[in-house]
Amino acid sequence: MHILIGNTVSNNQPHEHISFNLIVANTNGLTVKGRWEQILSRCNDFTALVETHCTEHMQKSLPFVAKDFHILWGAPIMQGARTGVAALVKKGCCWNTKIVSLTNSPCEKYFNIGRLLLVQLFYGKGNRSILIYIVYGQAGSRWEQSKKDELESMIAAITQDMNGRGSVPALIVGDFNIQISESNLLQKLLFTKQWYDANCLGSADEKVKNTSHKNNGSRIDFVFANTMAVGLLKTYQVVPGVLPDDHSEVHVTISLPRSTQVRYVISQPNQHLSTPYDEIPHE
């Protein structure tokens, strides 16, 4: 008889690392007919969705056609609002995933208005995790000072919240609706190496690609990493999205230890084999 126990591996066996694929996608409204199905067909391990336009009713109805994914919703928005954030996590790609409460955090008000969601993924032995902040910045922040000020207040709140959680790898991803050159705070965070831009990992061609294609185009969709997460970043690419004339998607890969379980043979209790669950022969 075999017993499979999750979240533990042999202390003397190193983890096998795998590529974990993350996508940042501006959906321009999941309520548009066929848009949800388009998004699902493109999802990989983790997809950060911004500008979902999803009310409480839509959040309750859409999951019925996403059986292969966990859906983590941000706060539902009012009818007609053009905000909303969410995450799609492929089942089986990590040990566990959950929404982290932002109650009493400096980020709380941004969660409440549908502009911010904090997700935690557990991987490896199950006792390691990464935080992912999903951001949707205020449209018009590039031109209106009041909106830029509000966006930078949200960025500052994220930085404060993240620093308060200790030495945990964290990514800050989404549509910021502002270019780095237009935000003094983003420039400061990057210059002081508090945040790192995954764009630096792209090829020469990828680095100059715009992510928004309105007007003359701009790069306003980002994947940033804190000091603990920057070493996990491996690749960066900009890919046409579901609305190629509106937004492209940002695709990155990060290296995470593969989830491993222990196979115990009861007849020989002192022997065990640490191996990925999907490679264990089942009798």
Side-chain angles (χ1 to χ4, degrees):
M1 180 174 70
H2 301 142
I3 297 178
L4 302 177
I5 302 177
N7 299 356
T8 56
V9 296
S10 173
N11 290 331
N12 59 6
Q13 179 177 338
H15 277 296
E16 175 190 354
H17 283 242
I18 61 170
S19 292
F20 182 90
N21 300 289
L22 182 146
I23 298 172
V24 178
N26 182 306
T27 70
N28 199 19
L30 292 176
T31 55
V32 177
K33 184 177 180 180
R35 184 68 47 77
W36 181 242
E37 289 74 17
Q38 285 181 295
I39 292 293
L40 288 176
S41 70
R42 302 167 64 85
C43 287
N44 209 308
D45 295 319
F46 186 99
T47 304
L49 304 175
V50 300
E51 201 179 347
T52 64
H53 303 175
C54 281
T55 62
E56 184 176 8
H57 170 73
M58 290 301 299
Q59 289 185 359
K60 290 179 178 178
S61 61
L62 286 174
F64 291 106
V65 289
K67 60 183 177 62
D68 295 327
F69 296 90
H70 298 293
I71 305 173
L72 306 177
W73 291 108
I77 64 171
M78 300 297 292
Q79 186 71 40
R82 299 185 63 83
T83 58
V85 289
L88 282 171
V89 187
K90 188 176 182 180
K91 293 179 179 178
C93 74
C94 59
W95 274 112
N96 190 24
T97 181
K98 70 175 186 177
I99 295 174
V100 179
S101 173
L102 293 171
T103 302
N104 298 323
S105 160
C107 295
E108 181 177 8
K109 74 172 184 177
Y110 303 108
F111 170 82
N112 291 338
I113 60 176
R115 292 197 177 275
L116 182 63
L117 176 65
L118 176 54
V119 174
Q120 187 171 22
L121 303 182
F122 296 86
Y123 57 88
K125 296 180 181 180
N127 60 354
R128 299 175 65 182
S129 68
I130 185 169
L131 298 171
I132 303 178
Y133 293 81
I134 301 174
V135 176
Y136 181 53
Q138 287 79 354
S141 295
R142 301 182 63 193
W143 301 281
E144 298 181 37
Q145 188 62 46
S146 62
K147 293 183 177 179
K148 180 185 290 189
D149 291 344
E150 185 66 14
L151 171 61
E152 293 204 330
S153 293
M154 178 166 62
I155 294 171
I158 292 170
T159 304
Q160 182 181 346
D161 181 89
M162 183 169 54
N163 291 342
R165 296 183 187 275
S167 300
V168 180
L171 303 177
I172 311 95
V173 311
D175 178 355
F176 284 67
N177 269 314
I178 201 167
Q179 297 190 112
I180 292 173
S181 61
E182 298 163 338
S183 169
N184 291 333
L185 181 53
L186 282 178
Q187 292 179 64
K188 179 181 178 181
L189 289 168
L190 294 169
F191 180 77
T192 58
K193 300 188 185 305
Q194 296 180 63
W195 290 16
Y196 296 82
D197 186 358
N199 173 269
C200 295
L201 296 172
S203 66
D205 290 339
E206 295 296 330
K207 287 180 179 179
V208 298
K209 284 184 178 179
N210 292 322
T211 61
S212 173
H213 307 295
K214 298 175 182 177
N215 301 320
N216 294 323
S218 56
R219 188 169 77 91
I220 59 175
D221 303 83
F222 302 109
V223 174
F224 296 118
N226 70 354
T227 304
M228 282 66 70
V230 64
L232 303 176
L233 297 172
K234 296 303 175 186
T235 66
Y236 171 93
Q237 188 177 16
V238 176
V239 176
V242 294
L243 293 173
D245 295 333
D246 180 62
H247 262 272
S248 289
E249 297 171 351
V250 176
H251 290 218
V252 301
T253 58
I254 59 179
S255 179
L256 295 179
R258 187 177 188 179
S259 297
T260 308
Q261 292 190 344
V262 177
R263 175 190 180 191
Y264 282 98
V265 182
I266 300 303
S267 59
Q268 302 176 44
N270 293 325
Q271 297 182 14
H272 65 270
L273 173 67
S274 296
T275 185
Y277 175 76
D278 56 8
E279 293 181 8
I280 296 174
H282 300 279
E283 298 176 359

